[in-house]
Amino acid sequence: MRIFDPHIHMTSRTTDDYTRMAAASVRAVVEPSFWLGQPRSNPGSFIDYFDSLIGWEPYRAAQFGISHHATIALNPKEAGDPRCRPVLDLLPRYLEKDRVVAVGEIGYDSMTPEEDSAFELQLALAEDHGLPALVHTPHRDKARGTRRTLDVVAAAGIAPEKVAVDHLNEVTVGLVHDSGCWMGFSIYPETKMSPPRMVDILRRYGLDRMLVNSAADWGISDPLLTVETAKAMLAAGFTVDDVDRVLWRNPVAFYGLSGRLDLDVGAPDATHEGNSVLRGGE
Ligand SMILES: [Zn+2]
């Protein structure tokens, strides 16, 4: 088995998580930029965060044989904060970087006019830079937020096959399925979506354009729920090839639209000087 987690916030995870993920066949991850829990007060905080997403974090992942890429954006939770808006002007330089494979997470949190404008502007940036877009759907009022998201995507003129709409559930999957966009699902231990519910959705809607992630961050989450979903698929009668399609080939196809996926990290290098850092040197 090989697993590609297309949405996981490794910045908030420890090396124990990387060890467990590598042991459980997670070979590739994409880390979308998002908020950091506490609101950021200036654009400089984003510069350091973005730099770590394309520098330090891929290096850290590679020590465990895991390929790491990022998506870059001004996230919906901070898009309405006037202190953060200048981040929009910083994005073009990051969208040219080798390990940036999409614009994201963009979309709605509270569905304000400020979020509207940031969303539209960043969909246009995705088009300008030849990148796909990763769209977060709000956790409150999800059906209305998803409908509005799809309206904005359609109005922007970006091809639906270049857009993934994430954090879906049984209520919203049908809308996105019909739109032609990719469908993302975040599997959580307690809330939102579980492996058995995910298997039911795959049975009903098929495997095309399906992306399954663990979204693991600082909240109660588990970076191995992609693997648990794979096991639940097999137990439900899906084939090994079906699992490979949903949990490897689909994310490769979606982020491959960037032309920048590099899945070859080579063997973890035990002699590399940086390893001592990860092993608790300083
Ligand atoms: Zn996220």
Side-chain angles (χ1 to χ4, degrees):
M1 197 193 297
R2 51 182 182 170
I3 302 284
F4 186 143
D5 193 329
H7 184 149
I8 183 165
H9 298 284
M10 293 312 298
T11 298
S12 63
R13 311 304 297 198
T14 66
T15 46
D16 286 1
D17 290 312
Y18 272 124
T19 302
R20 291 164 61 226
M21 290 161 66
S25 305
V26 178
R27 298 278 175 268
V29 297
V30 167
E31 176 156 7
S33 60
F34 204 61
W35 71 319
L36 291 176
Q38 174 163 310
R40 279 167 283 208
S41 59
N42 68 85
S45 298
F46 284 84
I47 291 175
D48 293 335
Y49 174 60
F50 293 159
D51 285 345
S52 88
L53 289 185
I54 58 174
W56 171 245
E57 207 57 51
Y59 170 73
R60 201 162 77 104
Q63 309 309 303
F64 302 87
I66 295 175
S67 160
H68 179 292
H69 295 80
T71 79
I72 296 288
L74 173 59
N75 67 81
K77 277 182 180 284
E78 289 174 300
D81 187 333
R83 296 173 301 177
C84 301
R85 295 287 289 195
V87 171
L88 292 169
D89 299 326
L90 300 172
L91 294 176
R93 78 159 114 127
Y94 284 98
L95 299 181
E96 292 299 315
K97 303 281 186 189
D98 281 347
R99 301 201 76 82
V100 174
V101 290
V103 175
E105 300 178 44
I106 54 176
Y108 289 118
D109 179 50
S110 305
M111 290 186 270
T112 62
E114 290 81 11
E115 291 173 25
D116 274 326
S117 73
F119 187 14
E120 287 163 15
L121 191 150
Q122 293 185 96
L123 283 172
L125 279 177
E127 283 285 78
D128 290 349
H129 292 264
L131 290 171
L134 177 65
V135 181
H136 164 100
T137 51
H139 298 302
R140 304 174 300 274
D141 208 354
K142 193 177 271 294
R144 191 167 69 91
T146 304
R147 248 179 260 116
R148 187 151 151 195
T149 294
L150 293 173
D151 288 345
V152 171
V153 166
I158 186 170
E161 59 268 24
K162 292 182 71 179
V163 178
V165 183
D166 217 332
H167 313 312
L168 300 180
N169 60 22
E170 291 85 350
V171 176
T172 52
V173 56
L175 292 166
V176 182
H177 183 266
D178 294 346
S179 74
C181 294
W182 290 74
M183 292 155 276
F185 298 85
S186 299
I187 316 298
Y188 288 93
E190 295 173 358
T191 55
K192 295 169 192 160
M193 181 56 58
S194 66
R197 285 168 60 197
M198 189 65 232
V199 168
D200 286 342
I201 285 174
L202 293 170
R203 273 208 195 97
R204 178 146 178 228
Y205 291 93
L207 309 184
D208 270 359
R209 292 181 280 125
M210 289 289 186
L211 299 168
V212 174
N213 65 72
S214 72
D217 55 29
W218 298 270
I220 294 172
S221 51
D222 179 348
L224 298 187
L225 285 178
T226 48
V227 181
E228 290 307 312
T229 302
K231 290 180 188 165
M233 285 178 71
L234 293 172
F238 284 100
T239 66
V240 170
D241 188 68
D242 292 336
V243 168
D244 191 69
R245 185 167 161 202
V246 172
L247 286 147
W248 185 267
R249 301 197 306 268
N250 280 359
V252 167
F254 177 68
Y255 289 117
L257 294 168
S258 68
R260 296 181 187 161
L261 261 194
D262 175 10
L263 297 171
D264 181 18
V265 291
D269 181 357
T271 62
H272 195 287
E273 57 180 278
N275 241 6
S276 63
V277 176
L278 296 182
R279 296 219 167 124
E282 287 98 80

